[in-house]
């Protein structure tokens, strides 16, 4: 587990089968809240380092105090961010939307853990010295990073219109162009309907181009570009000549939008890169915290 320090003085020679060590770890790992925490439990080994053992008992005891206060331990968004953090430090790199959202969830969890230690429930204030010492390295607030990502990327992974002024301007221009194209095609449809060349008042899309359906045998009556046919072959989809330049402008705006989206993702990724060290350190602490709370829940339930 790269996030966690190796166990000091591990016992190398023991009858782990007779100890039922594997099943025991699997049982305790079931109490972890994240895959990272589960792996941390499954990687545990007996140790002969008495100081380390005493510290583990102390930390688990402190976690039990927190659980007794019905406080939620913020580890639901815990991931191992080492690869994402490394990628984010490459100039010009762009993380995917789901990767950035994972970073935001982790950043929120680290910030919530910092807040919990800074302002614990009154009854356990001053009773968490081990956990406070464990988290001493968490000096950077990751909340601004989380807020920046959440403000920009919507829950479904798309970018909000206000992700940047330029993106908002492009999308407004797209809406205006859609209306212009629709008006042009509606006019063409009315003319074709009166000629009997089309039986549907329908506008559709073929490869980013807005087109109208025309009966195959009458397609020569329509001046324009054919963009495919229906599965039955009875209908072809035509882009009228008068609409081609309008569609070209829409395609240009779509390309402009994609370029701006990429620029925003690169900027967000660069921001993640600036917090790379704090993210990895926060995940390292939370990995141990999730491991400890799994032990604490096991201890509580099995007395």
């Amino acid at each position: 587990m790269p996030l966690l320090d190796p166990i000091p003085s591990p016992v190398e020679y023991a009858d782990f089968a007779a100890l039922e060590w594997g099943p025991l770890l699997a049982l305790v790992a079931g109490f972890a809240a994240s895959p990272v925490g589960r792996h941390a439990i499954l990687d545990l080994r007996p140790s002969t380092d008495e100081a380390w053992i005493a510290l583990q008992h102390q930390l688990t005891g402190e976690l039990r105090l927190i659980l007794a206060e019905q406080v939620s331990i913020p580890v639901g968004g815990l991931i191992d961010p080492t690869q994402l953090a490394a990628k984010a430090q490459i100039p010009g790199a762009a993380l995917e939307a789901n990767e950035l959202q994972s970073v935001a969830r982790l950043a929120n969890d680290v910030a919530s853990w910092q807040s919990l230690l800074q302002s614990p429930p009154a009854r356990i204030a001053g009773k968490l010295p081990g956990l406070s010492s464990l988290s001493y390295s968490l000096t950077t607030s990751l909340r601004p990073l989380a807020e920046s990502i959440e403000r920009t990327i919507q829950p479904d992974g798309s970018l909000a219109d206000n992700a940047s002024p330029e993106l908002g301007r492009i999308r407004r221009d797209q809406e205006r162009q859609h209306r212009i194209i629709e008006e042009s095609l509606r006019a063409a449809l009315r003319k074709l309907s009166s000629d009997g060349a089309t039986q549907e008042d329908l506008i559709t899309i073929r490869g980013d181009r807005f087109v109208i359906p025309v009966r195959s045998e009458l397609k020569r009556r329509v001046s324009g570009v054919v963009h495919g046919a229906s599965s039955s072959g009875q209908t072809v989809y035509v882009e009228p000549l008068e609409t081609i330049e309008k569609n070209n402008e829409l395609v240009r705006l779509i390309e402009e939008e994609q370029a701006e989206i990429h620029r925003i993702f690169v900027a967000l990724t660069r921001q993640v890169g600036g917090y790379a060290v704090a993210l990895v350190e926060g995940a390292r602490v939370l990995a141990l915290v999730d491991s400890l709370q799994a032990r604490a829940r096991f201890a509580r339930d099995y007395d």
Side-chain angles (χ1 to χ4, degrees):
M1 187 72 192
L3 279 180
L4 296 179
D5 296 328
I7 293 171
S9 305
V11 174
E12 298 292 346
Y13 303 103
D15 191 341
F16 291 109
L19 290 171
E20 297 190 36
W21 187 250
L24 172 62
L25 292 184
L27 177 61
V28 179
F31 289 86
S34 71
V36 174
R38 285 192 286 277
H39 281 111
I41 291 290
L42 295 174
D43 283 348
L44 286 173
R45 291 293 177 269
S47 170
T48 58
D49 187 319
E50 292 186 20
W52 181 82
I53 293 169
L55 177 60
Q56 300 307 300
H57 283 295
Q58 176 191 345
L59 293 172
T60 304
E62 291 179 16
L63 248 299
R64 291 190 73 175
L65 292 177
I66 295 177
L67 293 177
E69 294 296 312
Q70 305 295 309
V71 174
S72 175
I73 309 295
V75 288
L78 174 59
I79 59 168
D80 181 347
T82 48
Q83 290 187 333
L84 293 181
K87 180 179 176 181
Q89 295 178 83
I90 299 172
L95 294 177
E96 301 288 338
N98 63 317
E99 293 175 327
L100 288 164
Q101 288 171 319
S102 294
V103 167
R105 287 190 290 270
L106 172 61
N108 274 326
D109 278 359
V110 174
S112 295
W113 175 250
Q114 290 172 287
S115 298
L116 173 58
L117 290 183
Q118 289 164 4
S119 303
R123 288 195 297 184
I124 59 174
K127 296 181 179 180
L128 308 174
L131 292 173
S132 296
S133 178
L134 167 71
S135 307
Y136 183 76
S137 59
L138 304 183
T139 56
T140 301
S141 173
L142 293 173
R143 195 75 77 185
L145 174 63
E147 290 173 351
S148 178
I149 293 171
E150 291 168 344
R151 188 169 55 246
T152 305
I153 302 177
Q154 301 186 107
D156 65 358
S158 64
L159 289 190
D161 289 350
N162 61 356
S164 77
E166 181 66 3
L167 185 63
R169 192 272 305 167
I170 293 169
R171 287 181 173 173
R172 287 191 298 274
D173 287 351
Q174 284 182 353
E175 290 176 11
R176 185 162 53 249
Q177 195 65 19
H178 277 138
R179 289 193 295 271
I180 291 170
I181 291 170
E182 186 171 343
E183 289 169 6
S184 174
L185 291 177
R186 292 281 176 215
L189 275 170
R190 285 192 294 271
K191 181 177 183 297
L192 291 169
S193 295
S194 63
D195 293 344
T198 182
Q199 296 175 324
E200 299 178 76
D201 184 19
L202 178 68
I203 295 172
T204 187
I205 299 175
R206 285 290 185 274
D208 290 338
R209 315 289 291 191
F210 282 83
V211 296
I212 53 177
V214 177
R215 288 162 56 185
S216 295
E217 67 272 20
L218 301 176
K219 65 182 178 182
R220 296 189 185 282
R221 292 191 187 179
V222 185
S223 298
V225 179
V226 175
H227 292 277
S230 65
S231 55
S232 66
Q234 295 180 354
T235 302
V236 294
Y237 299 99
V238 178
E239 179 184 14
L241 282 178
E242 59 267 33
T243 311
I244 289 176
E245 280 305 314
K246 299 178 179 66
N247 266 328
N248 287 343
E249 174 61 14
L250 180 60
V251 169
R252 187 192 67 76
L253 286 169
I254 291 171
E255 291 172 351
E256 197 176 339
E257 178 190 27
Q258 291 306 309
E260 176 62 9
I261 288 172
H262 179 72
R263 189 199 65 77
I264 292 169
F265 276 123
V266 169
L268 280 176
T269 301
R270 188 164 56 247
Q271 193 174 356
V272 171
Y275 285 93
V277 174
L279 279 167
V280 173
E281 182 60 19
R284 187 189 70 79
V285 171
L286 289 189
L288 184 51
V289 168
D290 194 16
S291 163
L292 291 166
Q293 69 96 19
R295 300 177 228 177
R297 290 179 187 277
F298 170 81
R300 180 192 63 192
D301 288 7
Y302 284 83
D303 196 20

